[in-house]
Amino acid sequence: MSADLTAITRQAEAIHPNEPHATGLATRLNWLRAAVLGANDGIVSVAGIVVGVAAATTARGPILTAGVAGLVAGAVSMALGEYVSVSTQRDSERALLATECRELREQPEAELAELAAIYQAKGLSAETARLVAEELTEHDAFAAHAEAELGIDPDELTNPWHAAISSALSFTLGALLPLLAIVLPPTGFRIPIAVAAVLVALLLTGSLGARLGGAPVLRATVRVTLGGAAAMAVTYFVGHLVGIAL
């Protein structure tokens, strides 16, 4: 049966060469989508800060200082939040895997029956499900149960440090765009150029994020772009009022 399954898999890959069959592809897409969303957060957050400050003062120093402070604070916050979140998830996954390992050691027959029941519930006949469970158990019982019961790949647990660094880096790259767009142009063109650059960037990140997530591109792109525009409008208005008051 294993040889037949291998032949069927190879035939499917030959017929559909553009369909990904590699393990971990979904994980890589999720990482890429998270990076796009992190960059989007950096764009919107720092754009709101620098546009608000630019509405209150034309001095380049305060605008640059506020933008850099927002970039650093946002990147650190993203990194810490992602590290804590992924560490908690990793601890939970490890606990589940440890429990499964103990059950396999103490109740192998019960676990075999449970694995067969899982495949039978997916549509296989009782005989085929039992045969599949036995072959998978013989090959790697722990990996088979981790995937079928828990939906976890023991060899691909997310690294919290990687997640933290990735989030901080993507946020920083996104935040650099509005920061540079507001401090480099001449005084009279700072806000228009920054707003235009941010809106174009949001169109791109919104479209890319929607494609990676399988969401409707137009709706997601419009939502992200309008949200960024609203954020800049609010901070500009507040910054303008503060500038008048000062």
Side-chain angles (χ1 to χ4, degrees):
M1 182 174 178
S2 298
D4 292 341
L5 182 58
T6 301
I8 291 172
T9 302
R10 289 176 178 173
Q11 182 180 8
E13 291 176 349
I15 295 174
H16 304 289
N18 295 323
E19 292 184 6
H21 295 278
T23 302
L25 179 62
T27 301
R28 290 193 293 273
L29 288 177
N30 285 334
W31 274 96
L32 183 56
R33 183 173 57 189
V36 171
L37 294 177
N40 186 76
D41 287 342
I43 293 170
V44 175
S45 298
V46 175
I49 292 173
V50 296
V51 167
V53 177
T57 177
T58 58
R60 180 177 279 107
I63 299 173
L64 179 60
T65 301
V68 171
L71 184 155
V72 174
V76 172
S77 176
M78 289 283 290
L80 289 176
E82 196 69 15
Y83 179 83
V84 171
S85 175
V86 173
S87 294
T88 301
Q89 177 185 340
R90 188 182 178 93
D91 290 342
S92 298
E93 290 175 342
R94 283 177 168 173
L96 291 171
L97 291 172
T99 299
E100 191 63 37
C101 186
R102 185 180 67 253
E103 291 176 348
L104 282 169
R105 184 174 60 252
E106 297 175 354
Q107 309 170 31
E109 287 300 323
E111 288 297 301
L112 178 61
E114 184 178 8
L115 186 60
I118 290 174
Y119 286 107
Q120 187 175 352
K122 291 183 178 182
L124 298 180
S125 66
E127 294 78 8
T128 303
R130 179 75 182 191
L131 181 59
V132 169
E134 289 175 349
E135 292 198 3
L136 290 175
T137 298
E138 182 179 352
H139 175 69
D140 189 338
F142 179 61
H145 282 265
E147 179 183 1
E149 292 185 42
L150 307 176
I152 299 174
D153 185 342
D155 297 326
E156 292 192 5
L157 297 182
T158 305
N159 188 314
W161 286 107
H162 291 172
I165 293 172
S166 175
S167 295
L169 183 60
S170 61
F171 184 95
T172 300
L173 292 176
L176 282 174
L177 184 141
L179 182 59
L180 295 176
I182 199 78
V183 299
L184 293 181
T187 302
F189 297 94
R190 285 175 184 167
I191 293 179
I193 290 178
V195 170
V198 166
L199 292 180
V200 171
L202 291 178
L203 285 172
L204 295 176
T205 58
S207 174
L208 181 57
R211 293 180 185 279
L212 292 173
V217 174
L218 180 60
R219 183 187 307 169
T221 302
V222 169
R223 183 168 56 236
V224 169
T225 305
L226 289 180
M232 288 187 290
V234 170
T235 55
Y236 176 85
F237 178 71
V238 173
H240 182 67
L241 292 180
V242 172
I244 293 176
L246 296 178

